[in-house]
């Protein structure tokens, strides 16, 4: 039986396991059609089923609801709050609500493609920080830890973390850490270096413990890019402090000691050791 359905304009998605066999089939029966290759790696582009599922579902509802955007997702971040869809067909997707052609659309990224999805008015959204609090409560973890055992800086960092189970969880954690990084930069400006160091070290400790905890259900390679970005942003705080003119030898020694300790406890993290 041959069945025709409307699909996203300009693209045809092929489901399969072996790209070479699919291309051979196209060469034999549909000459002139080729699987798309990555511009930089020259390898055939593949999208995991977990990422394609929401895309497939929205396509079934109506291909006209999906619009391809010319820029990466980060381009649309300015002036918009990152949200997470918490219910409905698109539950789990993260992006920005932007008005396009007089209609509010969810701009998100699926399989390295940035798309805008219309018809999302009935969906439920949560701010990324609220999403973190919800996930902490779901896991039975206190949103605000005991202040008797944590410093104010450690509390702020702890409030950004929970045990992530998927890439969306990790993205929400990374987004909520932005305020901690900004606070550390502010502390540097006010010469409160010890507090800034404490924030940076606490973030790296939490990443090491939370992202690589025993029995974790997700594959680390799927979130490696996010982990690297979080670590790089945090290590930058330490590098800024130790390169400041006139910084004391005591502060430099503390940074070196903390970095060595982190490297010993979490050798799998991308930490630069001098």
């Amino acid at each position: 039986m041959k069945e025709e359905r409307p699909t996203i304009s300009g693209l045809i998605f092929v489901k399969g396991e072996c790209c070479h066999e699919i291309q051979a089939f196209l060469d034999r029966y549909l000459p002139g059609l080729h699987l798309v290759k990555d511009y930089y790696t020259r390898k055939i582009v593949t999208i995991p089923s977990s990422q394609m599922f929401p895309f497939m579902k929205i396509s079934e509802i109506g291909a006209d609801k999906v619009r391809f955007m010319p820029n990466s997702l980060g381009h649309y971040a300015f002036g918009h709050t990152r949200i997470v869809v918490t219910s409905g067909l698109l539950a789990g997707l993260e992006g920005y609500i932007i008005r396009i052609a007089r209609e509010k659309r969810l701009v998100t990224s699926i399989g390295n493609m940035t798309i805008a999805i219309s018809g999302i008015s009935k969906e439920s959204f949560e701010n990324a920080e609220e999403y973190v609090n919800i996930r902490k409560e779901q896991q039975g973890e206190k949103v605000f830890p005991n202040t008797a055992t944590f410093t104010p800086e450690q509390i702020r960092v702890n409030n950004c973390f929970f045990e992530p189970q998927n890439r969306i969880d990790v993205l929400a954690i990374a987004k909520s850490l932005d305020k901690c990084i900004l606070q550390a930069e502010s502390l540097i400006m006010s010469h409160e270096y010890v507090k800034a160091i404490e924030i940076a070290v606490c973030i790296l400790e939490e990443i090491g413990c939370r992202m690589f905890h025993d029995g974790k259900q997700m594959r680390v390679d799927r979130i490696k890019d996010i982990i690297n970005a979080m670590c790089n942003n945090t290590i930058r705080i330490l590098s800024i402090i130790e390169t400041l003119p006139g910084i004391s030898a005591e502060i430099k020694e503390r940074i070196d000691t903390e970095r060595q300790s982190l490297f010993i406890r979490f050798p799998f993290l991308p930490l630069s050791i001098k």
Side-chain angles (χ1 to χ4, degrees):
M1 182 183 69
K2 181 178 181 181
E3 183 179 357
E4 293 185 0
R5 293 184 182 180
T7 185
I8 308 302
S9 176
L11 292 178
I12 298 177
F13 295 92
V14 181
K15 185 177 182 180
E17 297 182 355
C18 183
C19 296
H20 298 293
E21 291 183 1
I22 295 174
Q23 186 60 64
F25 176 88
L26 294 176
D27 292 340
R28 182 175 180 181
Y29 296 101
L30 298 169
L33 293 182
H34 304 278
L35 297 175
V36 176
K37 291 185 178 181
D38 185 277
Y39 179 82
Y40 296 100
T41 65
R42 308 311 301 168
K43 294 182 179 180
I44 294 175
V45 175
T46 59
I47 305 175
S49 296
S50 59
Q51 294 183 24
M52 276 300 298
F53 181 73
F55 189 77
M56 293 163 62
K57 297 299 291 184
I58 197 65
S59 297
E60 291 175 3
I61 290 180
D64 59 327
K65 291 188 175 183
V66 180
R67 174 176 175 177
F68 288 92
M69 305 302 287
N71 303 300
S72 64
L73 182 61
H75 175 80
Y76 304 94
F78 180 75
H80 300 94
T81 301
R82 183 183 289 268
I83 58 87
V84 178
V85 185
T86 57
S87 67
L89 182 65
L90 304 180
L93 290 184
E94 184 174 8
Y96 305 96
I97 297 298
I98 299 176
R99 185 174 293 278
I100 301 174
R102 299 182 180 180
E103 183 180 8
K104 287 186 177 181
R105 298 172 183 251
L106 170 65
V107 177
T108 185
S109 179
I110 299 179
N112 293 328
M113 297 181 297
T114 304
I115 61 175
I117 305 173
S118 61
I120 45 79
S121 58
K122 295 183 179 179
E123 303 293 346
S124 175
F125 301 94
E126 294 290 348
N127 182 277
E129 293 182 12
E130 294 176 0
Y131 178 87
V132 170
N133 291 339
I134 291 172
R135 296 291 284 123
K136 287 170 76 77
E137 291 175 351
Q138 289 175 344
Q139 296 177 4
E141 186 173 340
K142 292 182 179 180
V143 175
F144 301 101
N146 188 349
T147 56
T149 57
F150 287 85
T151 66
E153 287 69 36
Q154 290 173 328
I155 291 175
R156 293 187 183 94
V157 173
N158 181 271
N159 287 341
C160 299
F161 282 89
F162 58 93
E163 301 295 344
Q165 302 299 323
N166 51 57
R167 185 179 175 86
I168 294 296
D169 283 353
V170 181
L171 284 170
I173 291 173
K175 179 61 179 177
S176 64
L177 281 175
D178 288 349
K179 62 180 182 180
C180 293
I181 298 296
L182 289 175
Q183 184 196 11
E185 293 174 346
S186 177
L187 289 170
I188 293 175
M189 295 295 292
S190 59
H191 307 291
E192 298 183 79
Y193 305 127
V194 173
K195 290 183 178 180
I197 293 171
E198 186 174 8
I199 290 175
V201 171
C202 189
I203 290 175
L204 294 171
E205 288 177 337
E206 289 285 352
I207 293 174
C209 294
R210 303 277 191 163
M211 305 299 175
F212 297 88
H213 65 83
D214 294 336
K216 184 163 51 60
Q217 298 179 14
M218 61 182 175
R219 292 175 55 187
V220 173
D221 58 347
R222 293 180 179 175
I223 59 170
K224 191 173 181 180
D225 58 328
I226 312 176
I227 293 177
N228 288 343
M230 286 192 291
C231 289
N232 290 337
N233 289 336
T234 307
I235 293 172
R236 182 175 57 85
I237 297 298
L238 299 177
S239 299
I240 290 174
I241 296 175
E242 63 185 352
T243 56
L244 287 173
I247 197 72
S248 68
E250 181 181 357
I251 292 296
K252 289 185 177 181
E253 183 178 355
R254 174 163 184 168
I255 292 175
D256 185 62
T257 300
E258 294 286 9
R259 189 184 277 115
Q260 293 287 347
S261 176
L262 288 166
F263 182 76
I264 293 173
R265 287 178 292 160
F266 310 111
F268 39 77
L269 291 181
L271 306 175
S272 58
I273 302 298
K274 293 184 178 182

